[in-house]
Amino acid sequence: MRVRALAAGCAVLAAVAISATPGVAANTVGSGRPSPVALAAPAPPLSAPGLAAAAPTAVPCPKAAAPKVVRSPKPTPPPSVAEHRVVGGDALATPGLIVPPGVPTPPKVTASSWLLADLDTGEVLAGCGPHEYATPASVQKLLLAATMLSRLDPAQVVTVTREDLDIAPGSSAVGLLPGGRYRVETLWLGLLLQSGNEAANALARLGGGADGVAGGVRAMNEQARRLGARQTRAVTPSGLDAPGQFTSAYDLALIARACFADPAFRRYVLTERTRIPAQKALRAKGFEIQNENQLVYRYPGALGGKTGFTDYARHTYVGAAQRDGRRLVVTLLGAEPRPQRGWEQGAALLDWGFALPRQFSVGRLVEPGELDAESPVVPESADAAAPVDTRSTTDGPGAGMFVALAVGAVAIAVAVVAGRRSRPTARDLPE
């Protein structure tokens, strides 16, 4: 009985010590700012320090009615990581609509998620589920471009291999020939104008070093992390569906911003048509390809972008344009082509964004390397969202020491009880 009383007393002491620990529910980092916490609902609007705000109900995104289609089941996304959902601002951690207060309702689109941002300032104007996982399809080729453009000499002549042509039957291709010799610039044009999957394989192989395509994909994922695209994981360089391959509308905006900062990229995506050269050694004639992004032809001030489609991803789109000295980019995931195609939905959102005052913002695009400089790497697991107290304890003993003493006392009491047992019970044996 005395042992049981001792154990009970120690348990009470532990509970009291834990409840008395100041700030035990807070999640702080070395910068002194509160770090994000997991939210079951959208992140609340920013509030004054020390004031708690209840998470509001998600505002539904304006959705255009689309004909029902038969499609494969959506891939299961990885576990949500709280820190990744608030990259760019707490208000972006919502599965619903986020717009500045008092602005007109955005146009209805069929996309499951989207984001609109300023290419120059990095301000996010609006979004719908900006940090929701989705599959990228061929807009993933922008991550390949953001990774490899600076690594490869556009004037270099390279040979296409049979392995480069190992793509899904019926998927988009430029028409490159095994054994054909092409300038790297021709591969980029084939990739960005015609969404050539064999061009993606060749560029990833060339930029991947000794590990070839695998090294190229690894470099893509390293670049995504450097850009702050923590919800992006590439498995294929082309964006063809593969298990575990995901991105988000926010991440796509980060990647697109890096691409549009490159003059060569801007020239490639605004090219309306080009010729794939003849291969005399293979007795093959040259031919012309055209830009598949209709924004280039039909939207005043268009800067270009990228289209995408797979059965899993549905239609995906990235487009950018400039007006009155302002450059905006829009990203869409999970769209259906009716009543509007992806580029038309993007154009409608761009029009809406250009009509907003310049000072309006709901968040921002982080700068390359910013997240790595601010915080340590967060593992991609469900445990990553657990609050961690990283405050210094060098000023003297805190409540954590009292908790440790209380837990130790409980452990001693349990050991005493265990020592008095004559033989183990079924509960003590491994299951």
Side-chain angles (χ1 to χ4, degrees), residues 22-384:
V24 71
N27 186 15
T28 58
V29 294
S31 64
R33 295 178 296 172
S35 75
V37 295
L39 296 172
L46 297 178
S47 57
L51 297 180
T57 303
V59 177
C61 299
K63 281 297 183 72
K68 291 186 178 180
V69 295
V70 178
R71 56 167 293 175
S72 301
K74 290 183 179 180
T76 301
S80 180
V81 178
E83 286 86 351
H84 298 173
R85 290 182 60 80
V86 294
V87 172
D90 292 351
L92 300 180
T94 174
L97 181 68
I98 176 67
V99 297
V103 304
T105 302
K108 293 181 179 181
V109 296
T110 62
S112 60
S113 60
W114 55 266
L115 184 131
L116 186 65
D118 190 304
L119 274 177
D120 297 310
T121 67
E123 295 299 323
V124 175
L125 279 62
C128 164
H131 281 298
E132 297 300 302
Y133 281 110
T135 44
S138 281
V139 293
Q140 176 132 298
K141 292 179 171 75
L142 297 186
L143 178 57
L144 178 64
T147 306
M148 300 301 177
L149 274 169
S150 62
R151 295 187 178 205
L152 302 176
D153 178 1
Q156 181 185 2
V157 177
V158 297
T159 302
V160 169
T161 68
R162 291 193 177 277
E163 289 74 21
D164 294 335
L165 273 63
D166 184 14
I167 60 177
S171 66
S172 58
V174 183
L176 304 179
L177 299 175
R181 290 177 59 76
Y182 307 91
R183 296 177 73 207
V184 167
E185 180 177 76
T186 300
L187 298 184
W188 283 121
L189 289 167
L191 179 90
L192 296 170
L193 272 63
Q194 288 274 293
S195 205
N197 292 325
E198 83 274 47
N201 287 343
L203 290 163
R205 171 177 60 83
L206 293 168
D211 291 336
V213 173
V217 172
R218 183 167 59 251
M220 290 169 66
N221 286 315
E222 291 169 356
Q223 174 73 333
R225 180 163 191 89
R226 188 185 76 86
L227 294 176
R230 298 299 168 86
Q231 294 178 299
T232 293
R233 178 172 179 260
V235 179
T236 66
S238 61
L240 286 172
D241 293 326
Q245 183 163 266
F246 288 94
T247 190
S248 68
Y250 180 89
D251 282 10
L252 276 180
L254 292 177
I255 295 165
R257 192 183 186 203
C259 286
F260 279 101
D262 189 304
F265 177 87
R266 295 197 301 269
R267 179 167 59 85
Y268 293 152
V269 293
L270 268 183
T271 300
E272 295 186 5
R273 57 182 56 85
T274 192
R275 283 192 64 81
I276 303 299
Q279 299 297 309
K280 294 181 180 180
L282 302 175
R283 298 181 179 179
K285 295 181 179 180
F287 54 93
E288 184 178 90
I289 62 172
Q290 295 181 333
N291 198 323
E292 293 182 338
N293 181 9
Q294 292 297 311
L295 193 81
V296 170
Y297 309 104
R298 303 189 184 188
Y299 193 87
L303 296 174
K306 187 71 190 73
T307 61
F309 172 80
T310 67
D311 188 47
Y312 280 147
R314 307 309 296 166
H315 291 266
T316 60
Y317 185 72
V318 174
Q322 60 184 353
R323 186 179 299 173
D324 298 328
R326 191 181 190 189
R327 300 192 309 159
L328 300 184
V329 62
V330 63
T331 63
L332 300 97
L333 292 163
E336 296 298 336
R338 291 184 289 174
Q340 288 182 314
R341 299 185 67 179
W343 77 267
E344 293 174 305
Q345 297 178 47
L349 287 168
L350 285 169
D351 281 342
W352 179 83
F354 280 122
L356 296 181
R358 292 175 183 262
Q359 70 272 20
F360 279 15
S361 172
V362 296
R364 66 183 184 90
L365 301 179
V366 295
E367 298 296 330
E370 177 181 335
L371 299 186
D372 291 325
E374 285 189 352
S375 61
V377 174
V378 179
E380 295 234 4
S381 68
D383 295 336

